[in-house]
Amino acid sequence: MTETTNPSKQQNGDAVMPETSTRDDVFDDSYKAKEGPKPPMRLVWRNIILMFLLHVGALYGLMLVPSASALTLAWTALCFLLSALGITAGAHRLWSHKSYKASTPLRVFLALANSMAFQNDIYEWARDHRVHHKYSETDADPHNAVRGFFFAHIGWLLVRKHPDVIEKGKKLELTDLKADKVVMLQRKYYKLSVVLLCFLVPMLVPWFLWDESLWVGYFIPCLMRYALVLNATWLVNSAAHMWGNRPYDRNINPSENRFVAFSAIGEGFHNYHHTFPFDYATSEFGMKLNITTAFIDLMCFLGLAKDCKRVSRDLISTRAQRTGDGSHKTG
Ligand code: ST9
Ligand code: ZN
Ligand code: ZN
């Protein structure tokens, strides 16, 4: 694959419009579609089997829902929310994009919540996400949506990575992640933390506190909840890279998708997010359909987070008029 750079992309994966950018810069999509000859897909049977079993178990968990107590269902919702925040407020907005600053207690909380989500450790997640932003829709994008919905959604976890992902990923600036003791500690004890927080705690709490059966505890708050968080996350890579308006930049695939925003607790405003990746709200509309933004605001109120980065209304409007598809209200 030919090395290309997009003038609106920074080394850490953040895309920003340079003050001096010209119309040609803005519409330069030469970084897209530079696909080299496809290496053969190498299936990873261990992942295929485990993902199949997980989804069968999750469907069985869904069938068990009527037999679960109200407390168990409330606990499942809480586990969903906590693990989702470990991804959205933690791995994504804090560690991948540095869009706000978090105190040590909050970082510890988010790292634990992240282990509950079991989506690779924070270091690996943020590294892959930075390479996704910097090389979106190319072979170096781990979940390149040009390869279709299935690949972007789950398929990318079932095959070996394209060599460009690893080659380009190795050139990324990751010193901030390496310098964060919480990130490195979570990486060191990742497997243990996943066994405890993704599997044992969700299953044992209902059994211990209100006599739910271990069977229901295993299939509903554990497997079904895990599969739901995974699929909500993957929808951002698949659906939100395919369907929806592009009010801020019509030249990129990421789109505004309200269904995804709802299920991914605020992460479906993906055209906005790829246009202004440093914005802590990942959306123009603040807390609307965006539990994660409300959570970060609460953390700021409690003094546990600060320095939230935001894009000015003027810049949003100017950018929408210049590169949007016309669907922006002021555009
Ligand atoms: C999961 C992750 O689900 C989901 C992430 C989604 C991201 C979404 C983003 C959207 C925005 C945010 C929205 C959030 C919404 C949340 C909503 C919540 C309700 N750079 O990886 P290997 C090196 S995980 C540099 O084995 P293979 C690597 O260091 C689910 N280097 O590649 C290693 O070197 P060394 C659970 C890189 O062999 C070597 O390459 N997990 C990079 O091709 C090999 O690495 C799973 O299902 C890079 N980018 O295998 C499977 N990448 O040996 C977990 C790699 O020296 N993964 N390297 O250390 C795997 O099994 C494998 O990675 C594989 C590829 C089979 C997929
Ligand atoms: Zn992002
Ligand atoms: Zn994306």
Side-chain angles (χ1 to χ4, degrees):
M1 187 183 140
T2 322
E3 169 86 35
T4 53
T5 49
N6 179 353
S8 69
K9 306 261 167 172
Q10 284 182 338
Q11 183 65 22
N12 65 0
D14 289 354
V16 287
M17 286 308 304
E19 288 299 315
T20 55
S21 74
T22 63
R23 218 178 144 74
D24 284 345
D25 289 338
V26 172
F27 288 98
D28 177 13
D29 58 359
S30 57
Y31 69 99
K32 291 187 199 168
K34 292 276 191 221
E35 306 293 333
K38 294 271 171 291
M41 281 234 244
R42 288 190 292 145
L43 301 181
V44 179
W45 282 103
R46 187 193 63 138
N47 290 7
I48 294 171
I49 292 165
L50 289 176
M51 279 299 171
F52 176 74
L53 292 177
L54 170 68
H55 284 81
V56 171
L59 283 176
Y60 178 65
L62 198 61
M63 283 161 54
L64 286 182
V65 164
S67 65
S69 72
L71 274 176
T72 301
L73 297 181
W75 169 247
T76 305
L78 180 66
C79 290
F80 179 96
L81 185 63
L82 288 175
S83 33
L85 285 171
I87 298 300
T88 58
H92 191 218
R93 300 189 197 184
L94 177 64
W95 281 299
S96 298
H97 292 296
K98 298 188 274 185
S99 67
Y100 69 99
K101 292 199 178 98
S103 62
T104 305
L106 178 57
R107 293 206 323 279
V108 169
F109 167 78
L110 289 171
L112 294 171
N114 183 273
S115 289
M116 194 178 217
F118 185 16
Q119 290 192 10
N120 299 329
D121 62 57
I122 296 162
Y123 179 87
E124 189 173 337
W125 201 105
R127 180 194 64 193
D128 279 358
H129 192 65
R130 286 180 187 180
V131 91
H132 162 67
H133 271 268
K134 194 164 159 63
Y135 300 103
S136 294
E137 268 77 64
T138 71
D139 283 333
D141 178 350
H143 28 83
N144 177 8
V146 171
R147 294 174 75 175
F149 183 95
F150 184 80
F151 181 83
H153 195 75
I154 182 175
W156 65 285
L157 290 164
L158 311 179
V159 294
R160 297 280 163 213
K161 284 173 173 160
H162 191 288
D164 285 4
V165 174
I166 296 169
E167 188 204 313
K168 296 286 194 288
K170 287 204 190 298
K171 292 178 187 151
L172 290 177
E173 176 59 59
L174 302 172
T175 43
D176 56 311
L177 298 171
K178 289 177 186 151
D180 189 324
K181 288 197 172 69
V182 175
V183 172
M184 289 297 116
L185 204 67
Q186 194 235 21
R187 187 163 163 80
K188 189 169 175 195
Y189 296 106
Y190 189 60
K191 282 186 185 148
L192 177 66
S193 67
V194 164
V195 171
L196 282 174
L197 293 162
C198 181
F199 295 103
L200 290 180
V201 168
M203 177 175 76
L204 294 179
V205 164
W207 169 76
F208 190 72
L209 291 186
W210 55 88
D211 277 340
E212 185 59 272
S213 71
L214 281 177
W215 189 258
V216 166
Y218 179 65
F219 282 101
I220 299 182
C222 190
L223 288 199
M224 189 189 85
R225 181 268 321 167
Y226 175 41
L228 281 175
V229 176
L230 281 182
N231 280 280
T233 308
W234 298 338
L235 279 174
V236 181
N237 297 334
S238 53
H241 266 257
M242 292 177 179
W243 302 309
N245 293 337
R246 297 180 174 96
Y248 310 99
D249 193 339
R250 64 175 177 272
N251 302 293
I252 58 177
N253 284 5
S255 309
E256 302 288 282
N257 188 309
R258 279 167 183 269
F259 172 73
V260 177
F262 172 73
S263 45
I265 64 166
E267 299 282 17
F269 305 98
H270 215 46
N271 190 256
Y272 183 89
H273 176 57
H274 272 261
T275 311
F276 305 111
F278 48 85
D279 188 318
Y280 89 102
T282 73
S283 153
E284 181 182 353
F285 309 110
M287 285 191 238
K288 198 170 163 193
L289 283 178
N290 205 329
I291 294 173
T292 307
T293 299
F295 172 79
I296 299 171
D297 287 351
L298 175 67
M299 292 303 111
C300 289
F301 177 75
L302 296 175
L304 293 167
K306 61 179 183 180
D307 296 346
C308 297
K309 293 180 194 152
R310 200 78 174 103
V311 182
S312 73
R313 288 219 157 266
D314 279 355
L315 183 56
I316 294 171
S317 177
T318 311
R319 180 68 192 263
Q321 281 173 31
R322 197 155 48 130
T323 61
D325 64 359
S327 63
H328 190 259
K329 288 210 174 64
T330 61

